[in-house]
């Protein structure tokens, strides 16, 4: 994105990227929503206890480890996705980035969101909406950079990226547990 | 121990480019994440999270999760 000159071009490229991240997240949400049907026979209280234990374990793991030691596809999205034009490339890059499992996952927050959908067993359309919200929000840092960024933005962010990832895990864990309690335990 | 004149250090780069700390944080996803988290917690306090309202903190939760991962673009 940094190599694209002009705010209008950057914004239109971000539009394609955000559409891709949203669609990618929605697709993952739909997949997880379908998979959650497999655990629906498990009693709600059991699923709630399992979710609490897993969320706490993942948040603590994220807080204590310098790099998240969880299974993930540890490769970057290839730059070749832009070979057929910037707009199409932005969309495809967004799809892979927004789905949450096609590239590096540096924070436990993605696992927390996936576990929530799997164990809470929401209606399919809620699973899609949650996935889309996750995907769309993954594009916001780029929008911030386009609107307010300045030289050295990435270096500054890299200095506290683990704080961002860990704070995200803790806050997402808290909010998702509250939602799960209301759905399964309330 | 890093050399303070190292141009890779963010603080030196900022001094070189004249970018204020306020502008740096305004363009950073961390304040946005904290704002979203606070908004979600406020919703928990204000809205009785029962019935279909459980979707509201869930949406805040997954949005916070997405922003937490957005720094690795």
């Amino acid at each position: 994105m940094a190599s694209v000159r002009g705010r209008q071009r950057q914004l239109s490229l971000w539009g394609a990227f955000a559409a891709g991240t949203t669609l990618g997240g929605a697709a993952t949400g739909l997949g997880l929503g379908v998979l959650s049907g497999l655990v629906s026979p498990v009693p709600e209280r059991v699923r709630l206890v399992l979710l609490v234990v897993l969320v706490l374990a993942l948040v603590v793991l994220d807080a204590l480890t310098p790099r998240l030691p969880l299974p993930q596809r540890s490769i970057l999205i290839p730059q070749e996705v832009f070979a057929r034009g910037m707009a199409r490339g932005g969309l495809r890059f967004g799809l892979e980035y927004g789905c949450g499992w096609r590239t590096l996952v540096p924070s436990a927050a993605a696992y927390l969101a996936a576990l929530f959908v799997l164990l809470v067993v929401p209606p399919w359309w809620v699973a899609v909406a949650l996935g889309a919200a996750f995907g769309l929000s993954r594009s916001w840092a780029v929008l911030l950079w386009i609107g307010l960024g300045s030289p050295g933005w990435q270096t500054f962010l890299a200095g506290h990226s683990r704080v961002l990832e860990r704070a995200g895990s803790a806050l997402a864990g808290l909010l998702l547990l509250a939602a799960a309690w209301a759905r399964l335990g309330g | 121990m890093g050399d303070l004149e190292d141009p890779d250090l963010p603080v030196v780069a900022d001094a070189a480019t004249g970018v204020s700390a306020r502008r740096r944080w305004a363009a950073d996803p961390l304040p946005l994440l904290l704002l979203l988290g606070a908004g979600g917690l406020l919703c928990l306090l204000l809205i009785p999270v029962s019935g279909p309202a459980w979707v509201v903190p869930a949406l805040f939760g997954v949005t916070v999760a997405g922003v937490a991962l957005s720094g690795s673009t």
Side-chain angles (χ1 to χ4, degrees), chain B residues 13-62:
Chain B
D14 283 358
T17 53
V19 179
S20 68
R22 184 180 294 182
R23 183 156 176 209
R24 279 279 179 235
W25 286 112
D28 196 271
L30 183 58
L32 176 65
L33 180 138
L34 296 175
L35 205 62
L36 281 165
L41 294 175
L42 198 64
C43 278
L44 286 178
L45 294 176
L46 297 179
I47 304 171
V49 188
S50 57
W54 67 271
V55 176
V56 177
L59 276 170
F60 270 103
V62 295

Side-chain angles (χ1 to χ4, degrees), chain A residues 97 106-107 109-110 122 130 134 137-138 140-142 144 148-153 155-156 160 164-165 168 172 174-175 178-179 182-183, chain B residues 8 19 23-30 33 36 40-41 44 49 54 57-59 61-73:
Chain A
Y97 187 69
S107 168
L130 292 175
F134 171 82
S137 60
R138 285 202 79 176
W140 289 354
V142 176
L144 276 175
L148 300 165
S150 46
W153 179 85
T155 311
F156 181 77
H160 59 273
L164 176 75
E165 291 153 11
L174 188 61
L175 291 165
R183 166 98 167 136
Chain B
D8 288 337
V19 179
R23 183 156 176 209
R24 279 279 179 235
W25 286 112
D28 196 271
L30 183 58
L33 180 138
L36 281 165
L41 294 175
L44 286 178
V49 188
W54 67 271
L59 276 170
V62 295
T63 304
V64 163
V67 174
L69 288 155
S70 67
S72 63
T73 313

Side-chain angles (χ1 to χ4, degrees), chain A residues 79-170:
Chain A
Q79 294 300 307
E80 284 75 21
V81 297
F82 291 98
R84 292 187 179 180
M86 291 302 281
R88 192 185 286 190
L91 180 72
R92 188 169 157 200
F93 189 93
L95 274 170
E96 299 208 24
Y97 187 69
C99 74
W101 51 273
R102 289 279 297 163
T103 186
L104 297 165
V105 184
S107 168
Y111 295 90
L112 303 181
L115 280 172
F116 176 83
V117 174
L118 277 174
L119 291 173
V120 164
V121 193
W124 71 269
W125 59 271
V126 173
V128 171
L130 292 175
F134 171 82
L136 178 62
S137 60
R138 285 202 79 176
S139 71
W140 289 354
V142 176
L143 187 61
L144 276 175
W145 174 79
I146 293 171
L148 300 165
S150 46
W153 179 85
Q154 193 120 33
T155 311
F156 181 77
L157 175 57
H160 59 273
S161 59
R162 280 302 280 149
V163 176
L164 176 75
E165 291 153 11
R166 287 167 170 157
S169 289

